[in-house]
Amino acid sequence: MTTDTRAAMHGPSQEQPTVRDRLRSFEPEHFLRAQKLLASGTRPELDRPISTGADLPLRGDFILDPQPPRPPVVEGLEIEQAFEGHVVAVDREGELFVARLVDASSDAPDEEADFSFREVVPDDRHLVVPGALFTWTIGLEWRSRQSRRVSEIRFRRLPPFTAEAISQAEQEAVELSKLLEAQDAAEEKNAAGGG
Amino acid sequence: MKIAPRKPDLNVEDLAIVFVGDFNPKIFQPMWFASQGLLREAEAENAKVEIIHQDIASFSTDWVLIQVTRDRFSAMTKADAYQSHLSDLVRGALQKLSHTPVRQMGMNMGLRVRFHSEEDWHTFGHFLVPKSPWKGVLNKPGMKGLQIQQPRSDEQAGYVLVSIEPDARLNGQAVIRVNDHYEMPTSEVSQSAAQFVSIIEKSFEASMDRARAIAEGIVGNFLRVRTVDNGDVK
C-alpha cells in the first residue's frame, strides 16, 4: 500500500521502478518465490511504484528462498600446534613484539618469543599492544578439498569489558584487598606478641 | 552380536552461536562488522555476500558464516582454531546492539565421527539404538537419528540437546551435535542481550569443552562394550 494517491489512481510514472522491476532484479536462484510471483500473471500490486509502503501487500507471499549458503572458505583446520599468546612488549621502530605463549595443544611449559610485525596481517597490526591476546595456529588447513600447511597469527578482537564485568572485578579487588590487610594485621600482631 | 570396534577419528565439524530474537538483518553487512572492529577490513572487503536484504543477510569470510533473518542470528565456523574469535565476534556484535531483544541462545558444536569400517558404523547404530524392539515390526531397521536431552545443570533456564545421526552422503561417518540451549524469561528479554554477552564470556569455552567431552564420552562408552543388539537375539 502506498500513501501516494496519484500512484494508486494513475499507475506508476515512467521513471519510477515498480515492485515488478524490483523482483526481476533479484537473482532467480536466490529468489524462487519472487520468480513464481512474477510468473503468476497479472497482479496489480506488482505494478505499484516502489515506495515506503509498496512492498507491504507482498509481504505475506514474498518469502525469500535463498540457496543454501556457501560455508566459510576454510572447511577445516587440523591443528598440529596451537598457542594462546599475549603481547609483553612492543618495539614499533624495530617492528618487533615479544609475547608469552601458552601451548594450548599440549602441556609444554610457557615460552617467550619474538615476532616480526611482518608475521601479522596489516589489518591486525594496530591491535599489537602490550597485553593484547592472540592465537597462533600451526596445522593443515582444508580449502576446496585441498590441504595446505598454515601458520596463522590472529589477534583477538575482544569487545570492551561490560559494566557487569568491571563491577565484578572491582568487587573481587576490594575483597582481595581486605583479605591482604587482615593477613598483614595478623602477621604484625604475631610479630608484636613474639617480640 | 559380539563386536570389537576400532577407535574412530573424532574431529570438530563446526561451531556456532545462534540467537533467536528480533533482528534487523540489513545491519549485518560485512563492512558493519569491520567498522565496529569485529572483522578485519580485508576480510569484509573480500567477504562472499550471498544476500543483504531487509529480511535476510548472509555472507561468509574465510573463517565465519553469518546468517541473520528477522528472528534468528547465526555465526558459524568450520574450524575450532577459530573458537575464541567466534566468541569475540558474536559478543562484540551483540554488545553493539545491546537493546536487541533476544529470547534464546544456542552454543553449538558438531563433531564428525569417522569409523574405520562400515561394520563399525553399523555397530555404533546398534549400540545407540538396540534393534530387538523393532524385531517383527521393521525389516532391517537402521538408525537415522537420535536425540537425547538433559536439563541444564547451572542456574540458567534451558537444556543440553545431543543429536546423533549418520552422514547421509558418506557411509561410515556420523555427526554428533551438541546444542547448549539457553532460554531467557520473558520478563528479562529487554536486558537479554547484555545477559547473553555475559553468559558467552563466562561459559562459551566450557560449553565447547563439554560438547567435546560428550562426544568423546559416547564414543568411549561404545569402545568399551563387547556386544550390541542388532536384532538377531535368539
Side-chain angles (χ1 to χ4, degrees):
Chain A
M1 194 173 293
T2 176
T3 49
D4 183 350
T5 46
R6 285 174 306 164
M9 289 171 71
H10 306 294
S13 65
Q14 286 289 317
E15 299 78 27
Q16 219 167 354
T18 65
V19 176
R20 189 183 293 278
D21 296 329
R22 186 162 153 193
L23 289 178
R24 282 197 187 110
S25 72
F26 292 142
E27 291 176 39
E29 66 269 28
H30 288 159
F31 293 95
L32 302 177
R33 288 274 177 92
Q35 296 306 306
K36 283 179 196 160
L37 207 54
L38 283 171
S40 64
T42 310
R43 293 189 60 164
E45 67 267 36
L46 298 184
D47 294 314
R48 286 183 180 154
I50 298 274
S51 77
T52 51
D55 287 349
L56 290 177
L58 290 171
R59 194 169 292 283
D61 45 5
F62 183 39
I63 297 165
L64 304 172
D65 281 344
Q67 282 191 319
R70 277 176 285 191
V73 175
V74 177
E75 294 158 357
L77 207 163
E78 288 172 33
I79 298 172
E80 289 169 1
Q81 206 161 11
F83 295 96
E84 286 167 5
H86 80 262
V87 177
V88 176
V90 180
D91 173 7
R92 294 237 165 238
E93 283 183 12
E95 296 199 324
L96 288 169
F97 65 95
V98 181
R100 178 155 282 274
L101 300 169
V102 178
D103 193 333
S105 48
S106 75
D107 295 330
D110 295 1
E111 296 174 53
E112 211 161 84
D114 293 355
F115 292 87
S116 162
F117 269 50
R118 283 185 303 168
E119 293 181 70
V120 179
V121 296
D123 280 352
D124 275 3
R125 285 180 195 164
H126 70 283
L127 300 171
V128 184
V129 292
L133 302 176
F134 64 92
T135 57
W136 179 23
T137 310
I138 300 159
L140 212 54
E141 181 185 271
W142 289 86
R143 291 173 182 242
S144 308
R145 295 183 192 170
Q146 293 183 62
S147 65
R148 62 172 189 167
R149 189 159 302 281
V150 293
S151 166
E152 187 191 19
I153 291 174
R154 180 174 280 268
F155 272 77
R156 302 276 307 267
R157 289 169 178 265
L158 288 156
F161 290 114
T162 58
E164 187 193 351
I166 292 169
S167 164
Q168 195 180 339
E170 284 174 347
Q171 183 64 34
E172 284 172 9
V174 168
E175 283 168 16
L176 190 63
S177 167
K178 280 180 187 167
L179 185 73
L180 291 172
E181 279 173 16
Q183 276 182 348
D184 286 348
E187 279 173 18
E188 279 174 22
K189 196 175 171 185
N190 284 344
Chain B
M1 175 188 178
K2 288 190 176 176
I3 60 166
R6 287 172 62 198
K7 188 180 178 187
D9 296 326
L10 188 64
N11 299 107
V12 171
E13 174 84 351
D14 50 48
L15 318 168
I17 300 177
V18 176
F19 299 113
V20 172
D22 298 318
F23 303 99
N24 180 2
K26 267 205 297 195
I27 292 175
F28 297 94
Q29 308 197 16
M31 287 315 292
W32 179 80
F33 283 91
S35 71
Q36 302 300 326
L38 303 172
L39 275 180
R40 292 171 179 166
E41 290 252 337
E43 285 177 333
E45 284 164 10
N46 297 319
K48 293 184 177 61
V49 177
E50 298 282 333
I51 178 173
I52 303 290
H53 186 267
Q54 62 190 1
D55 289 326
I56 184 170
S58 176
F59 74 88
S60 60
T61 69
D62 272 9
W63 67 277
V64 68
L65 167 68
I66 305 280
Q67 282 190 296
V68 188
T69 59
R70 285 189 176 275
D71 54 9
R72 194 171 186 273
F73 170 101
S74 159
M76 183 270 276
T77 185
K78 298 285 283 182
D80 52 351
Y82 300 118
Q83 179 175 310
S84 54
H85 302 286
L86 181 74
S87 158
D88 294 347
L89 181 135
V90 172
R91 279 195 291 141
L94 209 61
Q95 208 162 307
K96 301 285 179 192
L97 304 167
S98 59
H99 298 295
T100 304
V102 185
R103 292 181 289 280
Q104 300 170 338
M105 175 177 71
M107 298 194 281
N108 307 326
M109 178 179 273
L111 296 109
R112 180 165 291 274
V113 193
R114 289 184 175 85
F115 294 94
H116 290 285
S117 70
E118 206 170 314
E119 188 188 351
D120 283 357
W121 179 60
H122 284 299
T123 305
F124 188 59
H126 300 323
F127 161 72
L128 293 170
V129 181
K131 298 303 182 307
S132 286
W134 299 97
K135 198 171 171 67
V137 179
L138 291 180
N139 181 30
K140 287 191 177 179
M143 190 202 84
K144 294 298 282 182
L146 175 72
Q147 289 197 320
I148 300 283
Q149 181 179 311
Q150 71 168 18
R152 304 200 60 77
S153 54
D154 52 27
E155 72 281 6
Q156 303 290 336
Y159 52 79
V160 177
L161 177 69
V162 181
S163 311
I164 306 178
E165 56 187 46
D167 189 319
R169 296 161 302 143
L170 300 166
N171 275 11
Q173 298 190 18
V175 179
I176 301 174
R177 296 199 170 279
V178 181
N179 166 219
D180 191 0
H181 178 87
Y182 291 78
E183 296 267 352
M184 193 58 64
T186 312
S187 57
E188 294 176 31
V189 163
S190 60
Q191 305 294 321
S192 57
Q195 290 193 39
F196 281 129
V197 166
S198 177
I199 291 172
I200 297 170
E201 189 176 358
K202 287 180 197 153
S203 309
F204 183 61
E205 201 175 321
S207 173
M208 296 297 101
D209 288 347
R210 181 168 56 223
R212 286 186 189 89
I214 287 170
E216 285 165 5
I218 194 73
V219 169
N221 286 345
F222 169 57
L223 293 173
R224 274 190 284 278
V225 299
R226 287 291 161 259
T227 58
V228 292
D229 174 2
N230 68 345
D232 289 340
V233 182
K234 297 285 186 294

